[in-house]
Amino acid sequence: MIRPVWPVVVLLLWALVALTASWLPLQPDRIALEAILHGPALQYWLGADDLGRPVFDRVLVGARTSFLVAGWVVSLSVTAGTLLGSMAAYLGGVWDRALVMIIDIFMAFPGILLAIALAGLLGPGIENLIFALTLVGWVGYARLARAQVLSVKRREHVVAAQALGTGTARIVMRHLVPLISAPLVVEATFGVAAVVIAESGLSFLGLGVQPPEASWGSMIRDGVRYMLVAPHLVLVPGGALFLVVLSVNLLGDRLRDHLDVRSIRRTMEQGTGK
Amino acid sequence: MPSYLISRLFMAAWVIFGVTSLVFFLIHWVPGDPVEVMLGESASAVDREALRQALGLTQPILQQWGSFLTGVFTLDLGTSLFYQQPVMELLNGHYLATLELAVAAFAIAVVIAIPLGVIAAARQGTAWDFGAMGFSLLGVSIPNFWLGPLLVMVFSLGLGWFPVSGREGAGAVVLPAITLGTSLAAILSRMVRSSLLEVLGEDFIRTARAKGLSARQVLIRHGLRNAWLPILTLLGMQVGALLGGAVITEIIFNWPGIGSLLIESIQKRDYPVVQACVLVISLAYVMINLITDLLYAWVDPRIRLEHT
């Protein structure tokens, strides 16, 4: 198997740009009338958009938007999902049944649809976007964590901890969660790709970050109108988005092979009776 | 079979009830007063109150919930605030368009993915395999709202083969269907490959080979037939993503389906229509999953016997 380095480089660049964008001398909102729809050139590396704003600067700011949203949504979803899923599975009984019922309902929605409706009704803005995507996102991790805990909760070290009188929270956090973290890490990696696409998708629909703030999705939407005269307005932000998502997916595949999650997955599917 | 059927139907009923209620409460809990949006800030207090009465918004929330649930089960989804037209009528014009798009996308995905997955599994480790899985990776990673405009650039603006947008003419569905179907094709080809690879390692395949069947017969008759089961379940789940993706695809191509209606009503704060659109898409998803599960049980006796 070939193991190219470039996905890692792309992701490091993405993170670096996102974290330093506030300090870089970027002018994503500078309007220059003489540069309207300018193609890529020496002064405008990646061209200028319909208001003459530099596409290069806006793509970097868009990187920050997607990184921020993906970071928040994935960490919040993984935390909430893991806690709820593993607690319910460990406690069993009513708790577990209640969680399964809730999971069943959430799984009955196409996730992005619920996010669209929620983000749309809450009104645009990055916080609402994060909230909507988290509300949809935690379910997958909860389901995975639950199934995993069900398969390991009868292990001897857990029984030993119980016999020693260890509290529930401590057993879950110290003795169960570390055991089930490998598949969750893989799931979270693919989750980053999904959230990056979802953020851009919602912004593409006009339900994400608001102008003049830049998102790759809203840049594509604005660019579509000028596809004939200025294709770079669609190609550049879309290319950046595609590159990041592709890199995350490649990394996820590699992690999955490395941590050998496939066989664990199978026990999980048996655990949920699917 | 009957007990499995009953338990599965029961679960579907519960999920439909849950989905319906969740949609209702989300919409009512979200800040923003529809009356304000409809009448504007200059409307008098009396007018507002009158409209609130007319919409039933003055009733206690549980009562509103009750009448909403009754409405759903009697197929009365209320009246559009914007068009002043029954929501069911509005939906009628749109769901066929979404159905057409989804079916076309599904067909494209199946036609691409099955040969691709079979070739990749049959020639595991060769250039064919790498090519097919490379395509799959690209397909999963390309967002449809980028793929759509790219296709338009090349095939509509460049070559002039298909219309840029809309639903007029026979070729209009091609680009939207490819846009929507690509990610499903990518995921499906992976599933076909891995499922088939697993089956090809079984003893009965060796037996089939040993008794002198041709490679093609082994692959199709003995391999693919048995690989179908896991593919079927996952396919049902993926249809949800397809329906969700349809919303964005419809916006890209100005396709007059439920997704376009949903986005339009979100912008107009037309709550009954938003509610109805989310509901219709979710119900479609629940039904598809129900049918898949029942099909699965019908094809595989182990499933239905587990429940007896």
Side-chain angles (χ1 to χ4, degrees), chain A:
Chain A
M1 198 68 189
I2 318 149
R3 297 261 140 125
V5 193
W6 65 264
V8 181
V9 176
V10 168
L11 294 178
L12 284 178
L13 262 176
W14 182 44
L16 190 73
V17 166
L19 296 173
T20 58
S22 324
W23 293 288
L24 295 176
L26 299 174
Q27 297 177 299
D29 303 328
R30 194 199 54 190
I31 292 171
L33 296 178
E34 72 281 2
I36 285 178
L37 300 181
H38 205 293
L42 215 62
Q43 325 147 246
Y44 305 104
W45 284 23
L46 295 174
D49 70 2
D50 53 323
L51 295 174
R53 296 173 298 190
V55 171
F56 179 76
D57 295 25
R58 293 186 69 72
V59 164
L60 294 194
V61 176
R64 185 180 58 187
T65 308
S66 63
F67 189 82
L68 208 71
V69 173
W72 274 107
V73 171
V74 172
S75 5
L76 290 175
S77 310
V78 170
T79 311
T82 307
L83 283 180
L84 287 171
S86 42
M87 282 304 259
Y90 179 70
L91 294 173
V94 189
W95 296 104
D96 193 38
R97 275 202 296 277
L99 184 79
V100 170
M101 277 175 137
I102 297 174
I103 288 179
D104 278 345
I105 292 177
F106 271 93
M107 291 301 232
F109 280 100
I112 185 75
L113 177 74
L114 191 57
I116 288 173
L118 252 179
L121 294 168
L122 285 170
I126 205 162
E127 296 87 3
N128 289 344
L129 191 67
I130 291 173
F131 177 74
L133 290 176
T134 306
L135 197 70
V136 177
W138 69 274
V139 187
Y141 303 104
R143 183 162 167 255
L144 184 59
R146 174 184 172 270
Q148 293 286 310
V149 166
L150 280 184
S151 70
V152 297
K153 76 176 207 184
R154 297 265 170 265
R155 290 228 184 137
E156 278 162 7
H157 76 283
V158 181
V159 178
Q162 285 166 340
L164 289 169
T166 315
T168 304
R170 199 176 159 82
I171 291 184
V172 169
M173 293 312 295
R174 290 290 300 271
H175 299 281
L176 291 173
V177 169
L179 273 185
I180 63 169
S181 57
L184 283 168
V185 166
V186 174
E187 190 81 0
T189 310
F190 289 117
V192 170
V195 173
V196 168
I197 289 189
E199 179 272 314
S200 292
L202 289 173
S203 297
F204 175 83
L205 292 173
L207 306 173
V209 299
Q210 280 311 281
E213 202 52 39
S215 153
W216 292 337
S218 56
M219 289 176 75
I220 295 175
R221 181 181 62 149
D222 294 341
V224 164
R225 270 174 280 164
Y226 306 100
M227 243 165 9
L228 213 48
V229 283
H232 65 280
L233 295 185
V234 169
L235 293 176
V236 173
L241 174 62
F242 177 57
L243 212 57
V244 165
V245 173
L246 185 65
S247 306
V248 175
N249 280 334
L250 274 168
L251 199 71
D253 276 351
R254 205 179 289 178
L255 268 177
R256 183 168 51 193
D257 294 346
H258 181 68
L259 298 170
D260 191 25
V261 170
R262 282 196 58 91
S263 52
I264 307 174
R265 259 233 138 121
R266 203 158 302 136
T267 44
M268 166 204 135
E269 270 150 21
Q270 284 160 2
T272 52
K274 292 268 169 186

Side-chain angles (χ1 to χ4, degrees), chain B residues 194-210:
Chain B
S194 64
S195 184
L196 192 56
L197 276 180
E198 206 159 300
V199 170
L200 290 180
E202 301 271 347
D203 288 345
F204 65 84
I205 294 290
R206 199 178 43 210
T207 311
R209 286 208 181 105

